[in-house]
Every structure is written in structure tokens, then in C-alpha cells.
Amino acid sequence: MRMLPIALKSLRARWVSLIGAFTALALGVAMMTVMLLGLATAMALPGGEAVVSLVAALGTAGGVSAFVSAFVVASTFSYVVAQRRRELGLLRLAGATRAQVRRTVLAEALVLGIAASATGCALGRLAAPRMVRRLADVGMAPPDITLGQQNWPLHAAFWTGLLVALSGVAVAARRAGRLGPLDALRTADLDAGVMTAGRWFWGLGLLLTAAALTVTALVTDPADLLHRKTYTVQPMVLISACGLLSPVLARPLLRAFTWLPARWTSYAGRLVRGCASAALRRTGAVAAPVLVSVALTGSLAGALETVSAARTAEARSRTAADFVAVPHTSSPDAPSSPDALAAALRAVPGVIVSPTAPTELSLIEPDGTVVRSEARTADPAALATTARLPVLKGSVSALDDDGIVLPEEWGRTTIGAPVRVVRADGSRATLRVAAVLRDGLGDNGLYVTARNGPGARVDRIEIRLAAAADATTPDLLRAAARPFGTTVATREEWLAATAPAASRIAWLRTVLVLGLALTYTGIALANTLVMATADRRRELALLRLAGATRAQVIRLVTTESVLVVAVGAVLGCAVAAIQLGTMHAALALLGVDAPLAVPWRPLGLVTGACVLIAAPCAALAAAWALRRRPVTAAAR
């Protein structure tokens, strides 16, 4: 039996249902193309910190885009094959072997994948210049940036899309080929055996992998869970596991959501639950875009808020000063110099004044490599009083002109060990370790005395009240600082003004990573709903013949789609909760008492957007599917 002509005829006959798979793949490849072209353009720019940041952001966005498109496309193509079990059963009944059925399905996927991938590459090539210009407009890229002429992004996106399409179909085609003709016909209207051995293996395997990675990081390096690369990649593993296990996870959620409606209504609640539970493949395909949207939004936006809140909490816990003065920078000889301000504040009775200044200090590794870093100069005794540094070994008060205080991450954890440094003026010295600080969120810098920070200018003066202070001391401090044009702020005022909140660039990176992915998943959700509902013409016609009105059937389909969206949203929230919970555990191990930041607003907006997309799309698709007379549609 020649299967290629059959495959081509099948594509022409089923173009309405297959156009959904074509759209999902074409848009997914377009999204990958846009990101990869932007990445190639950024990699060709001259080096610099801004370029490195842009490359990292585009690389992350490209990885997220590839994952999202692969996840949605594989789910969609697998469902398309599952829809055709009756047709494939007829082929088996007509004499086609299992291998011929598999080859037919793979040939259809190959033809559809080539057309969709080529279309996606063309669309991505047209949209990429607009994205590059937008990056320049918001300040993430140089203003004169232009799209490069590299071809490798087009090849990478095309072949990735084709591979994803064939992979998504291969498993379903193998499963369809194993069925006998009568089995395929008998189970065509009811999903049975959805959880295959392979699906259990990969689903549980990914779940255990995510757990192992998390536990390993918590035990060995909790700070790694707070890095952007980790909290971007780790949710993908959980999302894949939830997607594979969705038939098991969706059934109890469907029962829970419809428990009250099934008792309050005569038949509608039970019918909605029955339709969604009987077609778990359709439920999984519709829930997949919602799952990935909500999970990525909650994980990435929540991670950004969590790290920001943790930095604020860390700064609060490590500041013991009662007041802080920030001097105006001017020439050292001016009467309003920071040194003169510090002397005036010291003249106020009952206070301890600790001026600190930033300076550049490079550490020389044992192999001779020079590593540049930022340090602060401070008076050891005053610093020990006005700061609560997380000391692991040694003592801050032991710091002197021959000593250095440094974080544990530098690997010099032996008190008294020599450390070769290069000062800001280029001079070299060998200092000894006076104290080792516990690693935090990357803000634990180096501390040296003023002698090892030549040219350093005081930019912060912390003041702590001593036992001799009284109610007039704050007024005396403000009066002493007034001639220098400096305001003495309370600890809370200073923390509020300098809280290390998420920067604008950090939020722009998050928007870049999520923006196209969320747009794509929204389109994929609408596309999957239309495709799935259009294929239910016979089922909906039977409901009409059973006595349901046209409006009742449309309400049934719309309610079912909203129910499935709720299932996907709950699974996505579970992934985000696990991710944010592991980050909070890492912060606890690092000694940072930070609040658990839950991005309720982004989660609500994304879930609401999914509902607003699903409800009208399902209603319109159901109305279109009911356009024929029920008797005619049921006989097809």
C-alpha cells in the first residue's frame, strides 16, 4: 500500500483540524527565529558590560521561547494524532500494517512541519527588526543597533521546529500503530490508557530530577538557586513533568472544581465534569498553554520580587546604625568635604560615627590571576558597632592596616592567611585575613582600612547612639550636618530610600523573556480550543439530539473550557509555588529572613487573560460546529 499519497490526501481532507497544528508550529518557529536573530545581532556587537547583559537576556529569552514552543507544539501534534484514531483504525481494517500507519502519520507531520517551519522563519525574519528597534528604544541595546545578516538563526529555528513536530507525532504514531483495528474504533470516542509506561517513566523521572537538583543545591550551594539561570531553567523541568503527568493530576482537580456544581445543578455540572474527564488528551492539550503561561509568570516574576525583597531584608538586618548621613561629594579641600562633616558629627556627644568609602581592590589568585572587586574602607571599631556583618570566623574589630575582611566565596577562610591585593592606585600589598563573612546575596564586599584605599571618598556616614545620648542628640546631629548641606536620615528613612529594589533593566529583561512567550501561548490556547471544539461536531450533535438546545450546548462547551483553564492555572501555580518555596528555603539557609513574595497581580492577570481568551473562542467554535442540522452532523 502506497502511504505517501494517502498522507497527502489526508492533509487535504483534514486541513481544518490540521491548520491548528500548522499555526502552533509556525508561530513557535517565528518566536524562536526572532529571539535567535536578536541574539546573533547582540553577539556581534563590541564587548562591554551592557552587551554582556543584553546577550544574557536574549539568550534566556531564546531558551524560554524554544521551550514554550516545543512544549505547546508537541502537545498539540500529539493531540492531533490522538484525534484520528478512528481514521487510523479504518486504515488498519483496510489492510495497512502498523509500520505503514506510523509512516503515514510521520509523512504528514514531515510535510506539515516543513511548511510551518518555513512560514515561521519568514515571519520571524520580518518581525526581528522591530524587536531590535524596540530594545534600543527602551535602553537595553545601543541606539544605533541594526539587525545582523547571520543565517544560522534561521537554520536553527527551522530544524528545531521540524524536529519538535516529528517528536511530538512519533510517540502518538507509535501508540496508534500498536492498536488493532477494532480496538482503535472501539476507543475512538473515549480516552483510555492515556498514561502509558513511557509517560509514567518520563514524568516521574523529570519530577525526581527536579527534586534531586533542588536538594543538591540546598545542601551544597543555596545561593545558586537565586541565580537567574537556575530559576529560569528549573521551572521548565517541573512544567514538563506536570505536562506528562497531567492526566493523573487533572482528574482529581476536575472532580474538586465540579463537586458543588454537580450537586447544585440537575445535570450540567456532571455533564461538564464527564466531558472533561472522558477526553483527558483534549483536556491536557488545552491546559498545556495555560500551565506554561502561569508557571513561567509566577516563577520568573516571583523570583525577581523574592530576590528584591531578600536584598532589602538583608540590608535591614545588617545595619545597626540609628542615623545615616550621605555627604555631598566635592573636592577634598572644600569646607564641606566628607571628612569635615564626619568630624562635625563626631563632636556631638553620645554618638559613634562610622564613615565608609568605596574603593577598588583587586585580589591576586594563587595562579597570578588578578580579580577586580569593590571594597569599602572603614574604621574597624566603629564598623563593628554600626554594622551587623555575618561573621563566620575572626572578628571585624581585629581589622587593621595589614588586614582584610572578605566573604567566604573568595575561598580564603583561614584567619591570618596572606592575601595579595592591588590597591586602587596600582600599588601592591599582602594583607592577612582578619575575618570571614558568610556568603549572602552577593552584597558582602571586602573591607579594609583607609590606608589600603588611597583616594577613596566617604559616601556614607553611619551614626549609632551611645549610652550618653539623650532626646536632644538627633537635633544636634541635624544641626551639625546642616552647614554642609547634608540631611541626617533615620535608619528607616535611609533604608526606604536606598532599598535595592528590582531595577528597571531587570524588569525589562523579565518582560523580554515572558512577553513573546505569553503572547504565543495565548494564541496557542485559542488555536487549540478552536481545533478541539471543531472536532467535536458529532458529539455536540448527539447532545442536540438528546434534547439540549443550541444555547445549552454552547454554554456547556464554554464552561468546560473555563474549567480546563482553571486546571491548567492551578498546575501552573503549583509549579510556581514549588519554585518560590525552594528559593525561600535557600534564603533561610543563607541567613536572610526575607518575606515570601508571591506575584499575585501577574498571576491574576495571566489567568484572567487565559479565561478571556478561552471563553469566547470556545463559544464561537461551538456555534460554528453546530451550524449544521444535528441529524446530518451526527451521521458524519
Side-chain angles (χ1 to χ4, degrees):
M1 183 181 295
R2 298 177 61 189
M3 307 308 293
L4 183 59
I6 294 177
L8 295 177
K9 289 180 180 179
S10 177
L11 286 174
R12 288 194 294 269
R14 294 180 57 87
W15 69 270
V16 174
S17 59
L18 291 176
I19 199 170
F22 176 89
T23 303
L25 181 57
L27 292 178
V29 172
M31 182 171 62
M32 285 190 287
T33 303
V34 168
M35 289 302 177
L36 291 176
L37 285 172
L39 179 61
T41 301
M43 292 173 64
L45 294 173
E49 184 177 350
V51 173
V52 171
S53 176
L54 178 62
V55 169
L58 286 170
T60 303
V64 171
S65 300
F67 167 76
V68 170
S69 58
F71 184 82
V72 173
V73 167
S75 175
T76 304
F77 269 68
S78 178
Y79 173 63
V80 166
V81 176
Q83 283 181 308
R84 302 177 56 197
R85 281 173 299 170
R86 184 185 296 274
E87 175 188 336
L88 298 178
L90 288 174
L91 284 176
R92 295 280 286 121
L93 195 62
T97 65
R98 295 180 178 180
Q100 287 174 325
V101 170
R102 287 196 295 268
R103 287 199 298 270
T104 301
V105 175
L106 289 174
E108 294 175 8
L110 179 64
V111 173
L112 192 67
I114 290 174
S117 296
T119 303
C121 287
L123 292 174
R125 185 64 180 81
L126 292 174
R130 180 171 296 180
M131 186 202 70
V132 170
R133 287 195 300 269
R134 184 59 181 164
L135 290 176
D137 292 340
V138 299
M140 291 186 66
D144 57 345
I145 187 173
T146 55
L147 188 69
Q149 300 300 317
Q150 296 91 338
N151 291 322
W152 69 262
L154 299 175
H155 289 282
F158 178 86
W159 292 111
T160 300
L162 187 58
L163 178 63
V164 168
L166 293 176
S167 300
V169 167
V171 177
R174 186 169 178 269
R175 185 169 58 246
R178 286 203 304 264
L179 293 173
L182 297 180
D183 290 335
L185 291 174
R186 184 163 51 247
T187 62
D189 292 329
L190 177 66
D191 284 341
V194 179
M195 289 303 298
T196 61
R199 193 159 188 163
W200 275 111
F201 174 80
W202 287 108
L204 293 177
L206 288 173
L207 201 60
L208 292 175
T209 299
L213 291 174
T214 300
V215 172
T216 302
L218 288 174
V219 172
T220 58
D221 185 14
D224 183 61
L225 292 172
L226 306 176
H227 296 159
R228 184 172 65 245
K229 180 177 68 174
T230 303
Y231 65 66
T232 301
V233 173
Q234 203 138 304
M236 298 181 188
V237 182
L238 288 172
I239 291 170
S240 301
C242 282
L244 289 169
L245 298 174
S246 59
V248 177
L249 301 174
R251 201 182 293 272
L253 289 175
L254 290 171
R255 285 199 296 266
F257 287 147
T258 57
W259 183 74
L260 285 178
R263 284 158 175 74
W264 288 351
T265 59
S266 57
Y267 64 89
R270 285 173 293 175
L271 191 57
V272 168
R273 180 177 61 191
C275 289
S277 300
L280 288 176
R281 288 192 177 91
R282 182 177 70 230
T283 298
V286 174
V290 183
L291 164 63
V292 72
S293 299
V294 174
L296 285 179
T297 300
S299 298
L300 298 185
L304 191 61
E305 292 184 10
T306 297
V307 172
S308 175
R311 290 183 184 275
T312 302
E314 186 179 58
R316 183 182 303 277
S317 66
R318 296 180 183 181
T319 303
D322 297 302
F323 297 93
V324 178
V326 179
H328 294 287
T329 57
S330 59
S331 64
D333 299 330
S336 60
S337 69
D339 293 336
L341 172 61
L345 293 173
R346 285 194 184 96
V348 176
V351 296
I352 300 172
V353 177
S354 175
T356 61
T359 184
E360 183 179 303
L361 192 71
S362 302
L363 273 66
I364 304 176
E365 298 287 351
D367 60 358
T369 303
V370 178
V371 182
R372 296 179 58 184
S373 182
E374 292 293 327
R376 295 194 74 83
T377 66
D379 175 75
L383 179 66
T385 304
T386 59
R388 302 189 192 99
L389 297 179
V391 179
L392 279 179
K393 296 180 181 179
S395 173
V396 175
S397 58
L399 178 65
D400 55 25
D401 289 343
D402 296 321
I404 184 173
V405 175
L406 75 175
E408 186 182 14
E409 64 182 350
W410 286 100
R412 319 292 177 85
T413 58
T414 303
I415 300 300
V419 179
R420 293 186 297 160
V421 300
V422 181
R423 302 187 184 99
D425 61 356
S427 62
R428 299 194 174 208
T430 300
L431 307 178
R432 59 175 179 80
V433 177
V436 179
L437 305 180
R438 182 177 64 241
D439 291 335
L441 299 179
D443 293 336
N444 294 335
L446 310 172
Y447 289 90
V448 293
T449 59
R451 177 183 172 184
N452 293 306
R457 300 295 310 283
V458 173
D459 66 346
R460 185 170 75 231
I461 301 175
E462 299 182 42
I463 308 163
R464 185 168 185 179
L465 301 180
D470 55 28
T472 63
T473 301
D475 294 332
L476 294 175
L477 288 171
R478 294 186 179 94
R482 193 173 298 119
F484 299 89
T486 300
T487 301
V488 177
T490 64
R491 174 174 175 267
E492 295 301 324
E493 291 171 345
W494 178 75
L495 286 172
T498 59
S503 65
R504 173 178 174 270
I505 294 298
W507 274 111
L508 287 175
R509 286 176 187 158
T510 304
V511 171
L512 174 64
V513 171
L514 289 175
L516 276 180
L518 293 181
T519 303
Y520 170 69
T521 52
I523 297 173
L525 174 60
N527 170 59
T528 305
L529 274 169
V530 171
M531 178 181 67
T533 306
D535 200 62
R536 298 174 66 183
R537 289 189 296 268
R538 184 172 181 273
E539 174 192 342
L540 302 183
L542 290 175
L543 286 174
R544 289 293 313 281
L545 293 175
T549 65
R550 179 186 174 91
Q552 287 175 326
V553 173
I554 292 175
R555 284 199 300 271
L556 169 71
V557 174
T558 304
T559 305
E560 182 187 339
S561 69
V562 174
L563 174 63
V564 174
V565 167
V567 169
V570 169
L571 293 177
C573 287
V575 171
I578 294 173
Q579 176 64 25
L580 298 181
T582 58
M583 294 184 69
H584 200 259
L587 289 171
L589 291 175
L590 292 172
V592 180
D593 186 17
L596 181 62
V598 180
W600 295 113
R601 184 178 179 184
L603 285 174
L605 289 175
V606 171
T607 304
C610 289
V611 172
L612 291 178
I613 291 172
C617 287
L620 291 174
W624 182 81
L626 293 170
R627 71 190 187 282
R628 289 192 177 95
R629 294 178 57 196
V631 174
T632 304
R636 292 176 64 87

